[in-house]
Amino acid sequence: VQLQASGGGLVQVGGSLRLSCAASGRTFSNYAWFRQAPGKEREFVATISRNGGNTFYTEFVKGRFTISRDNANNTVYLQMNSLKTEDTAVYYCAAHSRGFIGTQASTYDNWGQGTLVTVSS
């Protein structure tokens, strides 16, 4: 089972990026995005339920980021708009199959390799 994250890059303040996370080998019930900025701990960003009907965001990205999923292709996305310099981080996708919304990293037992997002002023 692998989670392959992609879509990171360099963008200016106010710009947009869309991250993708493709799962191979199985389908998970819940996906999430976490991020880790230099010198900081990994933090929760967003999560989505099996059918996409339930989503939850950290307050820092609410209204700017949107998590979605394509179950036919086992892919989850994170659309990031109105990016700020403080959004600069390595973004990780994570997944589990326990069927509930979780914001703690310990809930997730499958992780992608991370993709770097750099927002410049």
Side-chain angles (χ1 to χ4, degrees):
V1 177
Q2 285 189 326
L3 297 177
Q4 184 71 36
S6 62
L10 175 64
V11 64
Q12 291 189 328
V13 168
S16 298
L17 281 176
R18 189 176 81 154
L19 306 183
S20 300
C21 177
S24 61
R26 62 177 291 185
T27 299
F28 297 95
S29 62
N30 293 76
Y31 288 89
W33 289 95
F34 289 77
R35 68 186 182 186
Q36 187 166 17
K40 295 187 177 181
E41 294 185 353
R42 191 170 299 189
E43 65 176 2
F44 167 79
V45 176
T47 186
I48 189 167
S49 61
R50 183 187 300 273
N51 63 4
N54 289 323
T55 57
F56 186 77
Y57 300 88
T58 180
E59 287 296 322
F60 300 120
V61 307
K62 196 173 292 185
R64 299 188 296 121
F65 290 11
T66 303
I67 189 171
S68 61
R69 64 188 291 171
D70 178 354
N71 287 338
N73 293 299
N74 282 346
T75 302
V76 63
Y77 303 97
L78 185 68
Q79 178 66 43
M80 306 186 296
N81 299 327
S82 302
L83 283 161
K84 305 176 181 180
T85 55
E86 51 264 45
D87 295 319
T88 293
V90 176
Y91 283 71
Y92 298 90
C93 62
H96 72 79
S97 293
R98 298 180 181 86
F100 61 87
I101 291 284
T103 62
Q104 300 297 315
S106 58
T107 300
Y108 296 85
D109 46 17
N110 295 277
W111 290 84
Q113 84 287 6
T115 184
L116 177 62
V117 172
T118 304
V119 184
S120 65
S121 58

